[in-house]
Amino acid sequence: MEQSPLTEAFYGQLSTRPLVLIVIGRPSCEDCTEWHSLLEGWRPEQQFSRLEVVHLDLNSPVGQRFCDENEWTKHIDFIPFNVLYEDGEPTDQWPGGSLDRLKSSLEKRA
């Protein structure tokens, strides 16, 4: 599955995107790298084809802005941390990298 970094431009358009998974982490995080690789090889079913996956580097300027604007991020204890946005609103969140967990969340929205 195609993935990209969360940029300022994308962040500004988050409310216009139908379904976005934001993976919060750091490039130096081994678990984050493994989750990125697993997502890269995943071919989602047709009903999940509208999903966009973006990675948020906590050390980047947009990462700092995201954390400043989302108070709940201060309570993240484990990365990677996933937040599923639907029509600009967070609808689910969970720590770790599990395709089964992601599919379960997506199936609730199919």
Side-chain angles (χ1 to χ4, degrees):
M1 158 159 255
E2 187 175 321
Q3 305 170 66
S4 57
L6 181 65
T7 62
E8 286 285 345
F10 191 101
Y11 185 39
Q13 299 172 355
L14 187 59
S15 64
T16 67
R17 308 288 184 154
L19 193 61
V20 178
L21 176 67
I22 297 179
V23 179
I24 300 171
R26 292 187 180 90
S28 60
C29 164
E30 188 174 315
D31 290 335
C32 300
T33 303
E34 287 178 22
W35 182 218
H36 183 280
S37 294
L38 190 60
L39 285 168
E40 194 169 278
W42 181 52
R43 299 295 170 250
E45 293 81 10
Q46 182 62 33
Q47 74 261 31
F48 308 141
S49 63
R50 65 187 181 125
L51 176 68
E52 295 178 88
V53 177
V54 294
H55 291 267
L56 175 64
D57 177 359
L58 289 169
N59 295 329
S60 71
V62 71
Q64 291 300 307
R65 177 179 164 211
F66 185 89
C67 290
D68 290 344
E69 294 176 3
N70 294 280
E71 207 45 48
W72 55 265
T73 59
K74 291 180 173 49
H75 303 288
I76 294 175
D77 293 328
F78 182 83
I79 55 174
F81 191 84
N82 306 278
V83 185
L84 189 64
Y85 280 81
E86 192 167 14
D87 299 319
E89 295 295 322
T91 57
D92 199 1
Q93 55 184 302
W94 66 94
S98 164
L99 278 179
D100 288 338
R101 177 64 176 85
L102 173 58
K103 289 176 188 177
S104 171
S105 183
L106 291 171
E107 286 169 356
K108 295 173 188 173
R109 282 145 190 82

Coordinates of all heavy atoms in Angstrom, one line a residue, residues 29-90:
C29 N 12.7 4.5 15.3 CA 11.9 3.5 16.0 C 11.9 2.2 15.2 O 11.3 2.2 14.1 CB 10.5 4.0 16.3 SG 9.3 2.8 16.8
E30 N 12.4 1.1 15.7 CA 12.4 -0.1 15.0 C 11.0 -0.7 14.8 O 10.7 -1.2 13.7 CB 13.3 -1.2 15.8 CG 13.5 -2.4 15.0 CD 14.4 -3.4 15.7 OE1 15.5 -2.9 16.2 OE2 14.1 -4.6 15.8
D31 N 10.2 -0.6 15.8 CA 8.8 -1.0 15.6 C 8.0 -0.2 14.6 O 7.2 -0.8 13.8 CB 8.0 -1.0 17.0 CG 8.5 -2.0 18.0 OD1 9.0 -3.0 17.6 OD2 8.3 -1.7 19.2
C32 N 8.3 1.1 14.5 CA 7.7 1.9 13.5 C 8.2 1.5 12.1 O 7.3 1.5 11.2 CB 8.1 3.4 13.7 SG 7.6 4.0 15.3
T33 N 9.4 1.2 11.9 CA 10.0 0.8 10.7 C 9.3 -0.5 10.2 O 9.0 -0.7 9.1 CB 11.5 0.7 10.7 OG1 12.0 1.9 11.1 CG2 12.1 0.3 9.4
E34 N 9.2 -1.5 11.2 CA 8.6 -2.7 10.9 C 7.1 -2.6 10.4 O 6.6 -3.2 9.5 CB 8.6 -3.7 12.1 CG 10.0 -4.2 12.3 CD 10.1 -5.1 13.5 OE1 9.1 -5.6 14.0 OE2 11.2 -5.2 14.1
W35 N 6.4 -1.7 11.1 CA 5.0 -1.4 10.8 C 4.9 -0.8 9.4 O 4.0 -1.2 8.6 CB 4.4 -0.6 11.8 CG 2.9 -0.2 11.7 CD1 2.4 1.0 12.0 CD2 1.8 -1.0 11.3 NE1 1.0 1.0 11.8 CE2 0.6 -0.3 11.4 CE3 1.7 -2.4 10.9 CZ2 -0.6 -0.8 11.1 CZ3 0.4 -2.9 10.6 CH2 -0.7 -2.1 10.7
H36 N 5.8 0.1 9.1 CA 5.8 0.7 7.8 C 6.0 -0.3 6.7 O 5.3 -0.3 5.7 CB 6.9 1.8 7.7 CG 7.0 2.5 6.4 ND1 7.6 2.0 5.3 CD2 6.5 3.8 6.1 CE1 7.5 2.9 4.3 NE2 6.9 4.0 4.8
S37 N 7.0 -1.2 6.9 CA 7.2 -2.3 5.9 C 6.0 -3.2 5.8 O 5.7 -3.6 4.6 CB 8.4 -3.1 6.4 OG 9.6 -2.3 6.3
L38 N 5.4 -3.6 6.9 CA 4.2 -4.4 6.8 C 3.1 -3.8 6.0 O 2.4 -4.4 5.1 CB 3.7 -4.8 8.2 CG 2.7 -5.8 8.4 CD1 3.1 -7.2 7.8 CD2 2.3 -6.0 9.8
L39 N 2.9 -2.5 6.3 CA 1.8 -1.7 5.5 C 2.2 -1.6 4.0 O 1.3 -1.7 3.2 CB 1.6 -0.3 6.1 CG 0.9 -0.3 7.4 CD1 1.0 1.1 8.0 CD2 -0.6 -0.7 7.2
E40 N 3.5 -1.5 3.8 CA 3.9 -1.4 2.4 C 3.6 -2.6 1.5 O 3.2 -2.5 0.4 CB 5.4 -1.1 2.3 CG 6.0 -0.6 1.0 CD 7.4 -0.2 1.2 OE1 7.6 0.9 1.6 OE2 8.3 -1.0 0.9
G41 N 3.7 -3.8 2.2 CA 3.4 -5.0 1.5 C 1.9 -5.4 1.5 O 1.5 -6.3 0.8
W42 N 1.1 -4.7 2.2 CA -0.4 -5.0 2.3 C -1.1 -4.5 1.1 O -0.9 -3.3 0.7 CB -0.9 -4.3 3.6 CG -2.4 -4.6 3.9 CD1 -3.0 -5.8 3.9 CD2 -3.4 -3.6 4.2 NE1 -4.3 -5.7 4.2 CE2 -4.6 -4.3 4.4 CE3 -3.3 -2.2 4.3 CZ2 -5.8 -3.7 4.7 CZ3 -4.5 -1.6 4.6 CH2 -5.7 -2.3 4.8
R43 N -2.0 -5.3 0.6 CA -2.9 -4.9 -0.5 C -4.3 -5.0 0.0 O -4.9 -6.1 0.2 CB -2.7 -5.9 -1.7 CG -1.3 -5.9 -2.3 CD -1.0 -4.5 -2.9 NE 0.4 -4.4 -3.3 CZ 1.3 -3.6 -2.7 NH1 1.0 -2.9 -1.6 NH2 2.6 -3.6 -3.1
P44 N -4.8 -3.8 0.4 CA -6.2 -3.8 1.0 C -7.3 -4.3 0.1 O -7.2 -4.1 -1.2 CB -6.4 -2.3 1.4 CG -5.5 -1.6 0.5 CD -4.3 -2.5 0.2
E45 N -8.3 -4.8 0.7 CA -9.5 -5.3 -0.1 C -10.1 -4.0 -0.7 O -9.9 -2.9 -0.3 CB -10.5 -6.0 0.9 CG -9.9 -7.3 1.4 CD -9.0 -7.1 2.6 OE1 -8.9 -6.0 3.1 OE2 -8.3 -8.1 2.9
Q46 N -11.0 -4.3 -1.7 CA -11.6 -3.2 -2.5 C -12.3 -2.2 -1.5 O -12.3 -1.0 -1.8 CB -12.5 -3.8 -3.5 CG -13.2 -2.7 -4.4 CD -12.2 -1.9 -5.2 OE1 -11.2 -2.4 -5.6 NE2 -12.6 -0.6 -5.4
Q47 N -13.0 -2.7 -0.5 CA -13.8 -1.8 0.3 C -12.9 -0.8 1.1 O -13.4 0.1 1.7 CB -14.8 -2.6 1.2 CG -14.1 -3.3 2.4 CD -13.9 -4.7 2.2 OE1 -13.7 -5.2 1.0 NE2 -14.0 -5.5 3.2
F48 N -11.6 -1.1 1.2 CA -10.7 -0.2 1.9 C -9.8 0.6 1.0 O -8.9 1.2 1.4 CB -9.8 -1.1 2.8 CG -10.5 -2.0 3.8 CD1 -10.0 -3.3 4.0 CD2 -11.7 -1.7 4.4 CE1 -10.6 -4.2 4.8 CE2 -12.3 -2.6 5.2 CZ -11.8 -3.8 5.4
S49 N -10.2 0.6 -0.3 CA -9.3 1.2 -1.3 C -9.2 2.8 -1.1 O -8.3 3.4 -1.6 CB -9.8 0.9 -2.7 OG -11.1 1.4 -2.9
R50 N -10.2 3.4 -0.4 CA -10.1 4.8 -0.2 C -9.2 5.2 1.0 O -8.9 6.4 1.2 CB -11.5 5.4 0.1 CG -12.2 4.9 1.3 CD -13.6 5.3 1.4 NE -14.2 4.8 2.7 CZ -14.8 5.6 3.6 NH1 -14.9 6.9 3.4 NH2 -15.3 5.1 4.7
L51 N -8.6 4.2 1.7 CA -7.7 4.5 2.8 C -6.4 5.1 2.3 O -5.8 4.6 1.4 CB -7.4 3.2 3.6 CG -6.4 3.3 4.7 CD1 -7.0 4.2 5.9 CD2 -6.0 1.9 5.2
E52 N -6.0 6.2 3.0 CA -4.7 6.8 2.8 C -3.9 6.6 4.0 O -4.4 6.7 5.2 CB -4.8 8.3 2.5 CG -5.5 8.6 1.2 CD -5.7 10.1 1.0 OE1 -4.7 10.7 0.4 OE2 -6.7 10.7 1.4
V53 N -2.6 6.3 3.9 CA -1.8 6.0 5.1 C -0.7 7.1 5.0 O 0.1 7.2 4.0 CB -1.1 4.6 5.1 CG1 -0.2 4.5 6.2 CG2 -2.2 3.6 5.1
V54 N -0.5 7.8 6.1 CA 0.5 8.8 6.3 C 1.3 8.6 7.6 O 0.7 8.1 8.6 CB 0.0 10.3 6.2 CG1 -0.5 10.6 4.8 CG2 -1.0 10.5 7.3
H55 N 2.5 8.9 7.6 CA 3.4 8.7 8.8 C 3.7 10.1 9.3 O 4.2 10.9 8.6 CB 4.6 7.9 8.4 CG 4.3 6.5 8.1 ND1 4.4 5.5 9.0 CD2 3.9 5.9 6.9 CE1 4.0 4.3 8.4 NE2 3.8 4.6 7.1
L56 N 3.6 10.2 10.6 CA 3.9 11.4 11.3 C 5.1 11.3 12.1 O 5.1 10.5 13.1 CB 2.7 11.9 12.2 CG 2.9 13.1 13.1 CD1 3.1 14.3 12.2 CD2 1.7 13.3 14.0
D57 N 6.2 11.9 11.8 CA 7.4 11.9 12.5 C 7.3 12.9 13.7 O 7.2 14.1 13.5 CB 8.6 12.3 11.6 CG 9.9 12.4 12.3 OD1 10.0 12.2 13.6 OD2 10.9 12.7 11.7
L58 N 7.3 12.4 14.9 CA 7.1 13.3 16.1 C 8.2 14.4 16.2 O 8.0 15.4 16.8 CB 7.2 12.4 17.3 CG 5.9 11.6 17.6 CD1 6.2 10.6 18.7 CD2 4.7 12.4 17.8
N59 N 9.4 14.1 15.6 CA 10.5 15.1 15.6 C 10.4 16.2 14.6 O 11.2 17.1 14.6 CB 11.8 14.4 15.5 CG 12.0 13.5 16.7 OD1 11.6 13.7 17.8 ND2 12.8 12.4 16.5
S60 N 9.5 16.1 13.6 CA 9.4 17.0 12.5 C 8.6 18.2 13.0 O 7.8 18.2 14.0 CB 8.7 16.4 11.3 OG 7.3 16.2 11.6
P61 N 8.7 19.4 12.3 CA 7.9 20.5 12.6 C 6.4 20.2 12.5 O 5.6 20.7 13.4 CB 8.3 21.6 11.5 CG 9.7 21.2 11.2 CD 9.7 19.7 11.2
V62 N 5.9 19.5 11.5 CA 4.5 19.2 11.5 C 4.1 18.2 12.6 O 3.0 18.3 13.2 CB 4.1 18.6 10.1 CG1 4.6 17.2 9.9 CG2 2.6 18.6 9.9
G63 N 5.0 17.4 13.0 CA 4.8 16.5 14.2 C 4.6 17.3 15.5 O 3.7 17.0 16.3
Q64 N 5.4 18.3 15.7 CA 5.3 19.2 16.8 C 4.0 19.9 16.8 O 3.3 20.1 17.8 CB 6.5 20.1 16.9 CG 7.8 19.5 17.2 CD 7.7 18.7 18.6 OE1 7.4 19.3 19.6 NE2 8.1 17.4 18.5
R65 N 3.6 20.4 15.6 CA 2.4 21.2 15.5 C 1.2 20.2 15.8 O 0.2 20.6 16.5 CB 2.2 21.7 14.0 CG 0.9 22.4 13.8 CD 0.9 23.0 12.4 NE -0.5 23.3 12.1 CZ -1.1 23.3 10.9 NH1 -0.4 23.0 9.9 NH2 -2.4 23.6 10.8
F66 N 1.2 19.0 15.2 CA 0.1 18.1 15.4 C 0.0 17.8 16.9 O -1.1 17.8 17.5 CB 0.4 16.7 14.7 CG -0.6 15.7 14.8 CD1 -1.7 15.7 13.8 CD2 -0.7 14.8 15.8 CE1 -2.7 14.7 13.9 CE2 -1.6 13.8 15.9 CZ -2.7 13.8 14.9
C67 N 1.1 17.6 17.6 CA 1.0 17.3 19.1 C 0.5 18.5 19.8 O -0.3 18.4 20.8 CB 2.4 16.9 19.6 SG 2.9 15.2 19.0
D68 N 1.0 19.7 19.5 CA 0.5 20.9 20.1 C -1.0 21.1 19.9 O -1.7 21.6 20.9 CB 1.2 22.2 19.6 CG 2.7 22.2 20.0 OD1 3.1 21.5 20.9 OD2 3.4 23.0 19.3
E69 N -1.5 20.8 18.8 CA -3.0 21.0 18.5 C -3.8 19.8 18.9 O -5.1 19.9 18.9 CB -3.1 21.2 17.0 CG -2.5 22.5 16.6 CD -2.6 22.7 15.1 OE1 -3.2 21.9 14.3 OE2 -2.1 23.8 14.6
N70 N -3.2 18.7 19.3 CA -4.0 17.5 19.8 C -3.5 17.1 21.2 O -2.6 16.3 21.3 CB -3.8 16.4 18.8 CG -4.5 16.7 17.4 OD1 -5.7 16.6 17.3 ND2 -3.7 17.2 16.5
E71 N -4.1 17.6 22.2 CA -3.6 17.5 23.6 C -3.5 16.0 24.0 O -2.7 15.6 24.7 CB -4.7 18.2 24.4 CG -4.4 18.7 25.7 CD -3.1 19.5 26.0 OE1 -2.8 20.4 25.2 OE2 -2.5 19.2 26.9
W72 N -4.4 15.1 23.4 CA -4.4 13.7 23.7 C -3.0 13.0 23.4 O -2.7 11.9 23.9 CB -5.5 13.0 23.0 CG -5.6 13.1 21.6 CD1 -6.3 14.1 20.9 CD2 -4.9 12.4 20.6 NE1 -6.1 13.9 19.5 CE2 -5.2 12.9 19.3 CE3 -4.0 11.3 20.6 CZ2 -4.7 12.4 18.1 CZ3 -3.5 10.8 19.5 CH2 -3.9 11.3 18.2
T73 N -2.2 13.6 22.5 CA -1.0 12.9 22.1 C 0.0 12.9 23.3 O 0.9 12.1 23.2 CB -0.3 13.7 20.9 OG1 -0.1 15.0 21.3 CG2 -1.2 13.6 19.7
K74 N -0.2 13.7 24.3 CA 0.7 13.7 25.4 C 0.6 12.4 26.2 O 1.4 12.1 27.0 CB 0.4 14.9 26.3 CG 0.8 16.2 25.7 CD 0.5 17.3 26.6 CE 1.0 18.7 26.2 NZ 0.8 19.2 24.9
H75 N -0.5 11.6 26.0 CA -0.7 10.4 26.7 C -0.3 9.1 25.9 O -0.5 8.0 26.3 CB -2.2 10.3 27.1 CG -2.6 11.4 27.9 ND1 -2.3 11.6 29.2 CD2 -3.4 12.5 27.6 CE1 -2.8 12.7 29.7 NE2 -3.5 13.3 28.7
I76 N 0.4 9.3 24.8 CA 0.8 8.2 24.0 C 2.1 7.6 24.7 O 3.1 8.3 24.9 CB 1.2 8.6 22.5 CG1 -0.1 9.1 21.8 CG2 1.9 7.5 21.8 CD1 0.2 9.6 20.4
D77 N 2.0 6.4 25.0 CA 3.1 5.7 25.7 C 3.9 4.8 24.8 O 5.0 4.3 25.2 CB 2.6 4.9 26.9 CG 2.0 5.7 28.0 OD1 2.5 6.8 28.2 OD2 1.0 5.3 28.6
F78 N 3.4 4.4 23.7 CA 4.0 3.4 22.8 C 3.8 3.8 21.4 O 2.8 4.3 20.9 CB 3.3 2.1 23.0 CG 3.9 0.9 22.3 CD1 5.0 0.3 22.7 CD2 3.3 0.6 21.0 CE1 5.6 -0.8 22.0 CE2 3.9 -0.5 20.3 CZ 5.0 -1.1 20.8
I79 N 4.9 3.7 20.6 CA 4.9 4.0 19.2 C 5.3 2.7 18.5 O 6.1 2.0 19.0 CB 5.7 5.2 18.8 CG1 7.1 5.1 19.2 CG2 5.0 6.5 19.2 CD1 8.0 6.3 18.7
P80 N 4.8 2.5 17.3 CA 3.9 3.3 16.5 C 2.5 3.4 17.2 O 2.1 2.5 17.9 CB 3.8 2.7 15.2 CG 4.1 1.2 15.4 CD 5.1 1.2 16.6
F81 N 1.9 4.6 17.0 CA 0.5 4.8 17.5 C -0.3 5.2 16.3 O 0.1 6.0 15.5 CB 0.5 5.9 18.5 CG -0.8 6.0 19.3 CD1 -1.0 5.2 20.4 CD2 -1.7 6.9 18.9 CE1 -2.2 5.2 21.0 CE2 -3.0 7.0 19.6 CZ -3.2 6.1 20.6
N82 N -1.4 4.5 16.1 CA -2.3 4.7 14.9 C -3.5 5.5 15.3 O -4.2 5.2 16.3 CB -2.7 3.3 14.4 CG -1.5 2.5 14.1 OD1 -0.8 2.6 13.1 ND2 -1.1 1.6 15.1
V83 N -3.9 6.4 14.4 CA -5.1 7.1 14.6 C -5.9 7.1 13.2 O -5.3 7.5 12.2 CB -4.9 8.6 15.0 CG1 -6.2 9.3 15.2 CG2 -4.0 8.7 16.2
L84 N -7.1 6.5 13.2 CA -7.9 6.5 12.0 C -8.8 7.7 12.0 O -9.6 7.9 12.9 CB -8.7 5.2 12.0 CG -9.4 4.9 10.7 CD1 -8.3 4.7 9.5 CD2 -10.2 3.6 10.8
Y85 N -8.7 8.4 10.9 CA -9.6 9.6 10.7 C -10.6 9.3 9.6 O -10.2 8.8 8.6 CB -8.7 10.8 10.3 CG -8.1 11.5 11.4 CD1 -6.9 11.0 12.0 CD2 -8.6 12.7 12.0 CE1 -6.2 11.7 13.0 CE2 -7.9 13.3 13.0 CZ -6.8 12.8 13.5 OH -6.1 13.5 14.6
E86 N -11.8 9.6 9.9 CA -12.9 9.5 8.9 C -13.5 10.9 8.7 O -14.0 11.5 9.7 CB -13.9 8.5 9.3 CG -14.8 8.1 8.3 CD -15.6 6.8 8.6 OE1 -15.7 6.4 9.8 OE2 -16.2 6.3 7.7
D87 N -13.4 11.4 7.5 CA -14.0 12.7 7.2 C -13.4 13.8 8.2 O -14.2 14.6 8.7 CB -15.5 12.7 7.2 CG -16.1 11.8 6.2 OD1 -15.5 11.8 5.1 OD2 -17.0 11.1 6.5
G88 N -12.1 13.7 8.5 CA -11.5 14.7 9.3 C -11.6 14.5 10.8 O -11.0 15.3 11.6
E89 N -12.3 13.5 11.3 CA -12.5 13.2 12.7 C -11.9 11.9 13.1 O -12.0 10.9 12.4 CB -14.0 13.2 13.0 CG -14.8 14.4 12.8 CD -14.3 15.6 13.7 OE1 -14.0 15.3 14.9 OE2 -14.2 16.7 13.2
P90 N -11.1 11.9 14.2 CA -10.6 10.7 14.7 C -11.7 9.7 15.2 O -12.5 10.1 16.0 CB -9.7 11.1 15.9 CG -10.1 12.4 16.3 CD -10.8 13.0 15.1

